[in-house]
Amino acid sequence: MRIYSGTLSGKLTLWNATREVLEKPSAILRVRANNYANVRECSAGDIVALAGLKITASGDTLIDAKDDEKIILEGVENPPRVFMAALEYEYIRDKPALENACKNMIREDPSIEVKEDPETGQIIVSGLGELHLEIFRDRLETDYGLKTTLSKMKVAYKESVGEPNNITYEYTKVIKGKPQFLQLDLQI
């Protein structure tokens, strides 16, 4: 979380203006690589992590609950997801835990999408790249203890017409002594 103005202390109740709910962080943490240090207070310009938030996701605007001005800052626009793979779990009993873990991880990284294919029942994971999906899978194991595998990656290729075009094709042929004529107008 980046502090844009004012100060934040551990006793402060926050208003999530994006989702319109109150949140109470249990701790404010200064993060440096794999090291977390509790801090009592932080101020404008600081980047910290907040523990204990139940609803808040990446990109949400948090303000002091007592603040009269309920502003919402513009969130981050995620690029389209182009890599996808089937996510397979080891045991059927892991499915509820996997669904819960995926929901939690999507709150942290909304550029990931997880959905179940209605025809095959497979869980399809989409992301920004092969490494992105591999890190997602690795975190399922290290953070949640779930052994999963990813199928071969697929890339969504998207093509479209660059500019409109018109084509007229004319065809003439004599069949049984009679001229036959065809004109085809194609507009793309």
Side-chain angles (χ1 to χ4, degrees):
M1 171 182 187
R2 181 182 188 132
I3 312 296
Y4 282 95
S5 66
T7 59
L8 174 67
S9 68
K11 297 184 178 3
L12 195 62
T13 299
L14 300 173
W15 173 254
N16 183 328
T18 309
R19 300 180 192 273
E20 298 184 344
V21 295
L22 288 173
E23 290 273 38
K24 178 89 169 128
S26 59
I28 303 171
L29 306 167
R30 185 164 320 276
V31 182
R32 291 205 172 91
N34 289 338
N35 299 323
Y36 300 91
N38 281 315
V39 292
R40 292 177 193 250
E41 188 175 273
C42 53
S43 58
D46 288 342
I47 297 175
V48 295
L50 299 179
L53 301 180
K54 307 290 185 216
I55 308 291
T56 301
S58 292
D60 288 355
T61 300
L62 299 173
I63 57 177
D64 186 343
K66 295 179 217 159
D67 196 340
D68 293 334
E69 191 177 7
K70 306 290 186 202
I71 61 168
I72 298 177
L73 298 175
E74 188 176 326
V76 177
E77 184 77 25
N78 289 316
R81 303 163 190 95
V82 292
F83 279 77
M84 60 195 73
L87 183 68
E88 298 164 355
Y89 43 88
E90 202 169 33
Y91 302 106
I92 192 72
R93 68 175 182 257
D94 292 341
K95 188 174 181 182
L98 178 64
E99 289 171 348
N100 188 43
C102 288
K103 283 179 189 173
N104 289 338
M105 290 176 62
I106 289 169
R107 279 183 52 215
E108 296 173 19
D109 182 3
S111 63
I112 288 279
E113 180 181 56
V114 179
K115 61 184 175 185
E116 188 171 332
D117 186 312
E119 292 179 14
T120 63
Q122 287 182 305
I123 297 173
I124 307 297
V125 182
S126 304
L128 304 178
E130 191 171 345
L131 180 61
H132 192 207
L133 296 181
E134 288 173 354
I135 290 170
F136 181 80
R137 181 211 48 223
D138 292 347
R139 286 200 55 215
L140 286 172
E141 185 169 353
T142 57
D143 296 357
Y144 296 93
L146 298 167
K147 291 192 184 290
T148 57
T149 56
L150 287 173
S151 68
K152 185 177 177 185
M153 300 281 173
K154 294 182 181 172
V155 179
Y157 293 101
K158 298 182 180 181
E159 296 182 26
S160 66
V161 177
E163 59 186 55
N165 199 355
N166 297 320
I167 299 172
T168 301
Y169 179 73
E170 295 179 356
Y171 181 73
T172 306
K173 184 173 183 177
V174 177
I175 301 175
K176 294 187 180 183
K178 294 183 182 179
Q180 302 292 321
F181 178 75
L182 171 74
Q183 180 176 334
L184 177 65
D185 293 318
L186 182 62
Q187 180 180 16
I188 297 178

